[in-house]
């Protein structure tokens, strides 16, 4: 039997829509550019990814979590450098009004959309932050921004967390939340969107220890992606040669998406750039007093790990998507080989036929499993078709209740990846799922 990885993004986009993972935002109105809605299965998968990240970060004695507001004091963005530096160079086509990133197209060539010649405006800097107004009257209200990264919510709470949690360096603060960027060229499905979620952790350290911390966190973050089931040959580190305005070293973890290698996570040594600027703009003392070193005062350095939740989800889905060709077209199948703990649905309970006695057993089993797991219950169509549907959404186990179940008090458990079937007694199903699938 041969099998094929995901060949192009269009197949995944179609699969996600057909199977209830991801829908275009405001689809009945024709959609809204580069905004996507998580469907019933997408939200489960995304929550599972967020939960593993949250656990891996906060089930440590040196990291606390927070959940800061999206709207922040406007001076935050002055201090962080976003008002002055968070820009992309942009050109417009005077003919078709298309907008492009000046650094991504050949400005001497015709417009890529309408083919007009010499039609570009001069490049100008375009700030990627969305702004809105806070207060009841638009004219007099303050301009505020939708945060373009969650990190600043952590920096402005550095002192609050350090003092309330009685933290000594090194320690970290983790957060998951929405971020917004008015990207000029979004695309590739949920790879680059204008509204997305980040999972960020800022690790506060002594100056001079940043390279050690970089090596430590590069390994931790690599291992996390591998634990999520991503294939190592589809992952790589990429060192930044050009650094962002705040960094003195940076690596990306890249994944080989259907459209090519792309950044999934950034690991940045941000020095004391952010805290120093917040101290200057807020006039609050953000220095750390090192009681272990003669009460020396200094502004901590920061090692940041920042992963896009949606990009990570795109990698997990792309990696899991397989088409199997057993040589018999009838038996061809698409299967999402999620790591079971990430799968949106953990088990499907399938009474062989719509008969009250079979359904009675099945419903009882379902009620018991649902205490711990998200399950599906399906009575419609042939059992083969029902298995296929579960394969396509990545359910690790199908539990079939048949007429023998009424006699032997057991069900057939069919494995998603191997399609192997085993008979397991009803009272052992839960522990079987837990052991075999590590759920
Ligand atoms: N605090 C640092 C920071 O925000 P970044 O490299 O700009 O760094 C971090 O973003 C991660 O956020 C990226 O690696 C990517 O996974 C995700 N990300 C950034 N822009 C995105 C967008 N427009 N759509 C989806 N994810 C995005």
């Amino acid at each position: 039997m041969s099998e094929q990885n995901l060949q192009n993004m269009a197949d995944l986009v179609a699969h996600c829509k057909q199977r209830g993972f991801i829908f275009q935002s405001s689809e009945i109105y024709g959609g809204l550019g580069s905004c996507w809605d998580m469907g019933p299965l997408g939200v489960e998968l995304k929550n599972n990814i967020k939960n593993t990240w949250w656990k891996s970060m906060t089930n440590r004695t040196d990291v606390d979590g927070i959940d800061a507001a999206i709207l922040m004091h406007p001076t935050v963005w002055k201090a962080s450098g976003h008002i002055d530096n968070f820009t992309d160079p942009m050109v417009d086509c005077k003919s078709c009004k298309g907008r492009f990133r000046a650094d991504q197209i050949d400005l001497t060539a015709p417009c890529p959309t309408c083919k007009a010649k010499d039609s570009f405006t001069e490049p100008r800097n375009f700030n990627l932050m969305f702004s809105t107004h806070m207060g009841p009257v638009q004219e007099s209200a303050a301009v505020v921004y939708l945060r373009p990264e969650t990190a600043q919510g952590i920096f402005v709470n550095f002192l609050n967390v350090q003092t309330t949690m009685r933290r000594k360096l090194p320690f970290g603060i983790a957060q998951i939340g929405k971020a917004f960027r008015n990207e000029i060229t979004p695309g590739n499905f949920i790879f680059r969107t204008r509204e997305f979620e980040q999972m960020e952790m800022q690790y506060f350290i002594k100056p001079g220890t940043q390279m050690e911390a970089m090596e430590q966190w590069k390994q931790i973050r690599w291992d996390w992606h591998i634990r999520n089931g991503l294939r190592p040959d589809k992952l790589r580190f990429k060192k930044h040669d050009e650094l962002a305005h705040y960094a003195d070293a940076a690596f990306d973890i890249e994944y080989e998406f259907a459209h090519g290698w792309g950044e999934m996570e950034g690991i940045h040594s941000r020095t004391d750039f952010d805290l120093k600027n917040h101290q200057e703009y807020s006039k609050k003392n953000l220095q750390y007093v090192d009681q272990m070193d003669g009460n020396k005062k200094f502004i901590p350095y920061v090692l940041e790990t920042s992963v896009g939740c949606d990009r990570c989800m795109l990698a997990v889905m792309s990696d899991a998507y397989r088409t199997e060709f057993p040589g018999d077209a009838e038996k061809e199948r698409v299967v999402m080989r999620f790591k079971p703990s990430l799968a949106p649905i953990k088990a499907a309970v399938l009474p062989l036929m719509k008969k009250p006695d079979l359904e009675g057993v099945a419903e009882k089993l379902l009620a018991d499993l649902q205490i711990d797991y998200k399950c599906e219950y399906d009575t419609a169509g042939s059992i083969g078709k029902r298995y296929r549907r579960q394969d396509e959404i990545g359910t690790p186990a199908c539990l079939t209740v048949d007429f023998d179940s009424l006699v032997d008090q057991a069900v057939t458990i069919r494995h998603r990846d191997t399609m192997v079937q085993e008979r397991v007694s009803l009272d052992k199903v839960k522990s079987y799922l837990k052991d075999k699938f590590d759920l």
Side-chain angles (χ1 to χ4, degrees), residues 54 57-58 60-66 154 161-162 164-167 171-175 200-202:
W54 188 257
M57 284 295 173
T58 61
R60 299 173 50 105
T61 52
D62 59 350
V63 179
D64 296 305
I66 63 163
I154 288 178
V161 175
Q162 194 245 317
T164 55
M165 305 307 285
R166 298 171 298 127
R167 287 291 179 194
F171 75 94
I173 306 178
Q175 173 169 224
E200 295 200 292
M201 193 278 312
Q202 269 66 37

Side-chain angles (χ1 to χ4, degrees), residues 82 86 148-152 155 179-181 183 186 190-200 202 240 246 252-253 263-268 270 304-312:
H82 282 84
F86 197 55
E149 61 171 10
T150 57
Q152 298 304 323
F155 292 126
F180 303 82
R181 297 181 188 178
E183 302 278 4
I190 57 169
F191 180 81
R192 180 168 286 108
T193 54
R194 296 194 169 106
E195 174 179 344
F196 55 97
E197 263 179 295
Q198 289 187 315
M199 307 188 283
E200 295 200 292
Q202 269 66 37
H240 282 217
Y246 49 74
D252 288 340
I253 297 180
E263 171 189 341
M264 182 163 53
E265 169 151 5
I267 305 172
H268 309 126
R270 288 181 80 125
E304 161 184 86
T305 72
S306 175
V307 57
C309 186
D310 311 77
R311 262 189 216 180
C312 188

Side-chain angles (χ1 to χ4, degrees), residues 43-321:
V43 70
E44 295 293 338
L45 175 61
K46 200 172 179 191
N47 282 343
N48 292 341
I49 292 173
K50 287 197 272 190
N51 285 340
T52 71
W53 184 89
W54 188 257
K55 262 197 196 160
S56 78
M57 284 295 173
T58 61
N59 285 8
R60 299 173 50 105
T61 52
D62 59 350
V63 179
D64 296 305
I66 63 163
D67 183 13
I70 288 174
L71 299 175
M72 302 182 72
H73 193 288
T75 311
V76 167
W77 307 111
K78 188 73 194 154
S80 68
H82 282 84
I83 286 180
D84 297 326
N85 297 316
F86 197 55
T87 56
D88 276 338
M90 173 197 83
V91 290
D92 289 321
C93 170
K94 286 182 250 175
S95 176
C96 71
K97 310 291 176 222
R99 183 162 276 188
F100 307 94
R101 281 221 353 222
D103 54 345
Q104 287 180 347
I105 57 166
D106 176 1
L107 296 176
T108 59
C111 167
T113 307
C114 71
K115 311 292 174 219
K117 288 189 181 145
D118 300 323
S119 66
F120 293 122
T121 58
E122 282 300 306
R124 57 185 189 282
N125 280 336
F126 173 78
N127 196 297
L128 301 184
M129 282 195 294
F130 283 99
S131 61
T132 185
H133 294 88
M134 191 150 173
V137 186
Q138 185 158 334
E139 291 71 44
S140 59
V143 171
V144 290
Y145 299 94
L146 302 188
R147 65 182 176 197
E149 61 171 10
T150 57
Q152 298 304 323
I154 288 178
F155 292 126
V156 300
N157 277 298
F158 162 72
L159 212 53
N160 283 335
V161 175
Q162 194 245 317
T163 51
T164 55
M165 305 307 285
R166 298 171 298 127
R167 287 291 179 194
K168 305 254 180 288
L169 296 187
F171 75 94
I173 306 178
Q175 173 169 224
I176 299 177
K178 289 256 179 175
F180 303 82
R181 297 181 188 178
N182 198 0
E183 302 278 4
I184 302 168
T185 48
N188 286 319
F189 196 22
I190 57 169
F191 180 81
R192 180 168 286 108
T193 54
R194 296 194 169 106
E195 174 179 344
F196 55 97
E197 263 179 295
Q198 289 187 315
M199 307 188 283
E200 295 200 292
M201 193 278 312
Q202 269 66 37
Y203 202 63
F204 298 92
I205 55 179
K206 274 191 188 180
T209 61
Q210 64 268 36
M211 292 311 150
E212 194 187 309
M214 170 68 89
E215 287 314 308
Q216 178 195 356
W217 283 99
K218 270 171 69 185
Q219 187 66 50
I220 293 174
R221 296 303 306 142
W222 177 274
D223 292 346
W224 182 79
H225 290 289
I226 299 291
R227 276 206 308 281
N228 283 346
L230 295 187
R231 286 169 281 180
D233 59 323
K234 296 239 162 218
L235 285 172
R236 70 180 183 198
F237 280 116
K238 179 146 179 254
K239 188 172 192 284
H240 282 217
D241 295 322
E242 272 181 40
L243 294 169
H245 59 275
Y246 49 74
D248 74 349
F251 285 84
D252 288 340
I253 297 180
E254 292 191 331
Y255 180 79
E256 191 179 18
F257 292 96
H259 64 273
W261 286 94
E263 171 189 341
M264 182 163 53
E265 169 151 5
I267 305 172
H268 309 126
S269 169
R270 288 181 80 125
T271 68
D272 57 0
F273 177 88
D274 302 271
L275 288 183
K276 199 169 71 194
N277 285 343
H278 285 307
Q279 173 167 284
E280 185 186 326
Y281 279 83
S282 69
K283 312 269 185 288
K284 293 280 181 308
N285 182 1
L286 299 181
Q287 285 180 318
Y288 176 79
V289 183
D290 195 348
Q291 291 164 345
M292 316 293 280
D293 189 9
N295 285 341
K296 214 153 78 192
K297 289 185 185 159
F298 57 87
I299 293 188
Y301 269 35
V302 169
L303 196 287
E304 161 184 86
T305 72
S306 175
V307 57
C309 186
D310 311 77
R311 262 189 216 180
C312 188
M313 181 175 168
L314 184 61
V316 165
M317 289 193 299
S318 305
D319 215 84
Y321 187 102

